[in-house]
Amino acid sequence: MKKNIYLTILFCLVLSIAASAQKIEKPTLAPTEATEAQRQLIQQGAKLHDQKKYDEAIKKYEQVLQENPTNDLALFEMALSLYYKKDFPRALEAAYKLVQYKGKNGVLGYGLIANVLDDQGKGKEAIEIYQKGIKQLDDAPEYRTHLSALYYNLGIAYARQKQSKEAREALKKAVQLDYASPGAHYILAEVFHGAGYKVPALLASSRFLSMELNSARAKRSVAIILDILGAKKDEKTGNINIFLNLNAPKDEGDFTLYDFILGTLTTIKDEKDKNKTEEEIFADAVDSLIEMFSEDKKLGSTFIGKTYIPYMVDMKKNGYSKIFAYLVLQQSGNKQAEKWLVEQGQKTVDFINWAKAYQLKSR
């Protein structure tokens, strides 16, 4: 009995190693379109996958592939369900077949292979696979969302390898290619924040939060925003302590002045603020910061000047900056902010819809 278990484990290990060591050649196969009946089976499988019924979903895809062995969509969906089921050897086997096909579904196989390798702790191998997939799509503008997904996963792989600069560059590419996808903004904000880029982290978090609410990632993004916009007050003296890092990185732009101002926007008050609520003061701070960004021509050539500042400026022009500020507070648990947003009714909904649909005007 023990011998059989040992042989089974050894077989799985050899299969996994063999799969991860396969060489990927340039795709040469042309996929075959699914029939209407086969498309319905694939859709049924996708619904089962969404319900986490992976085995049932896989059976649907296998049925299609028995009838149509060269249908790349069924092969991709099967590989995806195998991956989520954590059947990594079979997921790799399907993904390596997938990358032999020309077209967008074939390229998705690169991401699946690399995801498995990265999950298995083979980060360097995963990075190489992501890069190969990116190379396949570099001259295919019609697949920009797929290319964005590859850059996004490449950025995560770099971040896991503690390669912050490379992670930033990959995630920036993902953001530029698909500005309406929240994931890349979120991970980029985390990478920026971890490396000491306050303003870029604030703006990436802001863009993410305007697209995704009421999630663990949203709470984390709010924490980043409030951490950057806040200042520490000494409980004994009442003095406001602002910590300025003179050695803060400047390769994403020189934000020294902003790093100083950020902590004062919600803490230093004058006569006109004496009757304002804390929520109104925070909203004014957000509005003032956007105004400063819009007037700073030096930031125009930077990544955030091309991607995040135009979004924030358009938000303000459309009258949504206060809505956004109150959403930040509401997501932090502020009941007064929640009440105010409910009172705004349709305007709150309009902002969320506007933010999700927003695209960069020039890329």
Side-chain angles (χ1 to χ4, degrees):
M1 184 68 176
K2 288 183 178 178
K3 184 178 180 181
N4 289 339
I5 293 172
Y6 172 76
L7 288 174
T8 301
I9 293 171
L10 181 61
F11 173 75
C12 291
L13 180 62
V14 170
L15 181 62
S16 177
I17 292 170
S20 66
Q22 287 185 39
K23 186 177 180 181
I24 300 177
E25 303 289 350
K26 189 173 181 179
T28 57
L29 302 180
T32 305
E33 286 287 329
T35 65
E36 180 57 35
Q38 290 165 357
R39 276 195 290 270
Q40 289 180 13
L41 283 171
I42 293 170
Q43 289 172 0
Q44 290 169 18
K47 288 180 180 178
L48 290 166
H49 174 95
D50 291 342
Q51 295 167 12
K52 299 184 179 180
K53 298 177 180 178
Y54 303 126
D55 286 326
E56 294 177 46
I58 290 165
K59 286 180 182 178
K60 297 288 184 183
Y61 306 135
E62 286 175 336
Q63 186 177 338
V64 174
L65 290 168
Q66 284 173 1
E67 300 172 5
N68 187 350
T70 55
N71 180 254
D72 57 344
L73 178 57
L75 186 58
F76 164 70
E77 295 290 357
M78 186 175 76
L80 188 65
S81 289
L82 287 165
Y83 170 71
Y84 274 87
K85 186 188 170 186
K86 299 194 182 299
D87 188 345
F88 292 155
R90 289 182 65 202
L92 280 173
E93 183 184 0
Y96 273 109
K97 287 180 182 177
L98 191 60
V99 295
Q100 297 176 46
Y101 289 96
K102 299 175 183 177
K104 63 180 182 180
N105 290 322
V107 175
L108 292 173
Y110 288 91
L112 283 169
I113 293 168
N115 286 350
V116 171
L117 294 173
D118 202 24
D119 288 350
Q120 292 178 330
K122 301 173 184 177
K124 291 182 180 179
E125 291 178 47
I127 286 168
E128 290 178 9
I129 300 296
Y130 287 129
Q131 290 171 334
K132 285 181 181 180
I134 287 167
K135 191 174 181 181
Q136 288 291 332
L137 282 183
D138 262 345
D139 296 323
E142 67 272 27
Y143 298 149
R144 56 187 306 128
T145 56
H146 296 78
L147 186 56
S148 174
L150 285 171
Y151 272 117
Y152 166 70
N153 284 299
L154 176 61
I156 292 174
Y158 273 131
R160 286 177 174 175
Q161 295 292 311
K162 311 297 182 186
Q163 294 178 253
S164 176
K165 182 178 180 180
E166 290 81 1
R168 287 200 322 270
E169 293 307 313
L171 291 164
K172 283 156 64 174
K173 283 276 193 181
V175 163
Q176 290 168 325
L177 286 162
D178 190 4
Y179 199 70
S181 178
H185 297 286
Y186 173 73
I187 301 296
L188 183 56
E190 288 281 20
V191 172
F192 273 142
H193 191 247
Y197 296 87
K198 285 187 176 182
V199 169
L202 171 68
L203 292 173
S205 294
S206 297
R207 172 58 184 153
F208 167 78
L209 189 67
S210 61
M211 293 185 288
E212 182 175 308
L213 300 168
N214 304 315
S215 68
R217 298 197 303 184
K219 287 185 178 180
R220 172 60 185 157
S221 294
V222 166
I224 290 175
I225 293 169
L226 295 180
D227 176 61
I228 293 170
L229 278 177
K232 307 299 181 185
K233 183 178 284 190
D234 190 304
E235 293 182 2
K236 293 182 179 179
T237 65
N239 293 333
I240 297 168
N241 299 317
I242 298 172
F243 300 96
L244 184 62
N245 181 11
L246 296 176
N247 296 316
K250 295 180 174 58
D251 53 328
E252 295 287 349
D254 188 349
F255 303 107
T256 305
L257 176 62
Y258 292 100
D259 288 349
F260 175 78
I261 292 173
L262 286 171
T264 70
L265 291 173
T266 59
T267 53
I268 296 179
K269 306 170 188 177
D270 54 28
E271 188 65 21
K272 71 178 188 307
D273 297 324
K274 66 179 182 179
N275 294 320
K276 290 183 178 180
T277 65
E278 294 297 322
E279 293 78 21
E280 289 171 328
I281 289 170
F282 181 80
D284 286 347
V286 170
D287 211 53
S288 298
L289 191 58
I290 295 173
E291 188 67 31
M292 284 187 282
F293 286 143
S294 68
E295 295 173 353
D296 193 339
K297 304 304 180 187
K298 293 183 295 183
L299 296 178
S301 61
T302 66
F303 167 76
I304 71 153
K306 294 175 181 177
T307 56
Y308 289 127
I309 291 178
Y311 168 69
M312 299 298 284
V313 170
D314 285 346
M315 179 197 294
K316 179 177 167 61
K317 283 181 180 177
N318 282 278
Y320 292 137
S321 58
K322 190 171 183 179
I323 296 281
F324 169 73
Y326 273 71
L327 272 174
V328 172
L329 297 174
Q330 183 266 335
Q331 290 289 294
S332 72
N334 187 307
K335 295 301 181 184
Q336 291 302 314
E338 183 174 336
K339 180 182 176 183
W340 184 87
L341 287 168
V342 170
E343 289 170 354
Q344 301 310 301
Q346 188 60 42
K347 190 169 184 180
T348 300
V349 175
D350 289 344
F351 166 66
I352 293 170
N353 291 334
W354 174 85
K356 288 181 177 180
Y358 187 91
Q359 292 289 350
L360 295 176
K361 291 182 177 63
S362 60
R363 303 188 206 188

